[in-house]
Amino acid sequence: MSRSNNRVNVGIYIYDQAEVLDFSGPFELFSTASRVCKNDNPFDAFLISETGNAVIARAGFMVSPSYGFNSHPEIDVLIVAGGVHTDEMEKLQVLDWISQESQKASLVASVCTGAFLLAKAKVLEEHKVTTHWEDIADLFPQLNVVEDVRWVDEGNIITSGGISAGIDMSLHLVSKLHSNGLAEKTARQMDFAWTKNS
C-alpha cells in the first residue's frame, strides 16, 4: 500500500505474547498527539503482525492488528514491541521483515525487549541501547547497554527501557518529529508525567 497523506506513519510490530503496554502505550500516545494538534494530524499509528491475523498478547489480551507484512502502508517510524520475544527471534521471515523495514524507515525504535529483535535482525550492532532492567545482562554483548535511563537516542535508532518507558520514548519521538510543545501538550492530555532523560 502507498502513502495517502503527508502524515508520519508509525508502524508498531506486535506478536503473540507481546507486552500490552509496549504497543498500546505508543499507539495511544501518537493517536493522542494527532488529536490534540491544532490544524494538523501529524501521525498515523497502526499495529502490524506477521500475518495480519489476531494476536494474543500477554495475559490473553486479544488484538486485531490493522495490517500484516504484505499489506501495510509505507512505514516512517518502526516500533518493535517487547514481551516474550524468544519465538520471534527464531522466525527468519520476521527478522528479514524487521531488517528490510528498518532500512526504509526514517526512525526505528524498540520498547523493552523489542531491542532483542532489533539486535537479532542486525539493526542494532554497535549502538548504545537500553532495555528492561531485568534483561540487560542478557542483551547482546557487542552492544553498549546503558542502565538507569528511560530511553537511548542514537539518531535514527531509539531504544527504551521496560514497558511504561515506551510512553516516555514516544513523547521524545513526538518532540523529535514535530515539536516539544506538542509532546508537552500530549503528556498533559494523557495526564502523564513525562520523564525526560538528562
Side-chain angles (χ1 to χ4, degrees), residues 8-74:
V8 174
N9 284 343
V10 182
I12 304 171
Y13 177 57
I14 62 172
Y15 46 90
D16 286 336
Q17 296 301 307
E19 190 72 55
V20 175
L21 196 59
D22 280 18
F23 61 86
S24 60
F27 183 90
E28 177 72 11
L29 191 288
F30 284 104
S31 300
T32 301
S34 281
R35 193 170 74 244
V36 302
C37 189
K38 288 185 178 178
N39 304 316
D40 198 2
N41 192 10
F43 302 106
D44 184 13
F46 46 85
L47 302 177
I48 305 168
S49 69
E50 182 182 352
T51 64
N53 296 330
V55 163
I56 300 176
R58 294 293 286 269
F61 189 91
M62 185 171 287
V63 186
S64 293
S66 296
Y67 304 105
F69 285 176
N70 297 320
S71 64
H72 62 79
E74 179 181 342

Side-chain angles (χ1 to χ4, degrees), residues 5 19 29 55 64 73 96 115-116 118-119 127 143 159 188-189:
N5 52 55
E19 190 72 55
L29 191 288
V55 163
S64 293
D96 287 345
F116 284 79
L118 292 183
H127 298 84
L143 301 175
T159 54
R188 175 152 181 75
Q189 179 66 29

Side-chain angles (χ1 to χ4, degrees), residues 147-191:
E147 300 185 53
D148 299 321
V149 293
R150 299 293 277 173
W151 74 86
V152 173
D153 186 333
E154 282 280 86
N156 67 334
I157 296 178
I158 300 95
T159 54
S160 80
I163 313 178
S164 68
I167 300 175
D168 287 309
M169 178 191 73
S170 295
L171 283 163
H172 173 67
L173 290 174
V174 169
S175 176
K176 188 179 177 92
L177 293 164
H178 190 280
S179 66
N180 188 68
L182 179 58
E184 296 279 6
K185 188 175 182 181
T186 302
R188 175 152 181 75
Q189 179 66 29
M190 292 178 64
D191 206 5

Side-chain angles (χ1 to χ4, degrees), residues 103-173:
Q103 291 173 43
K104 293 187 276 187
S106 299
L107 290 173
V108 179
S110 65
V111 181
C112 195
T113 56
F116 284 79
L117 290 172
L118 292 183
K120 189 69 183 281
K122 300 191 183 304
V123 177
L124 302 176
E125 294 188 287
E126 297 179 352
H127 298 84
K128 282 196 252 183
V129 301
T130 196
T131 189
H132 191 286
W133 60 266
E134 198 171 35
D135 298 287
I136 281 177
D138 296 325
L139 198 51
F140 289 52
Q142 72 270 26
L143 301 175
N144 182 1
V145 184
V146 182
E147 300 185 53
D148 299 321
V149 293
R150 299 293 277 173
W151 74 86
V152 173
D153 186 333
E154 282 280 86
N156 67 334
I157 296 178
I158 300 95
T159 54
S160 80
I163 313 178
S164 68
I167 300 175
D168 287 309
M169 178 191 73
S170 295
L171 283 163
H172 173 67
L173 290 174

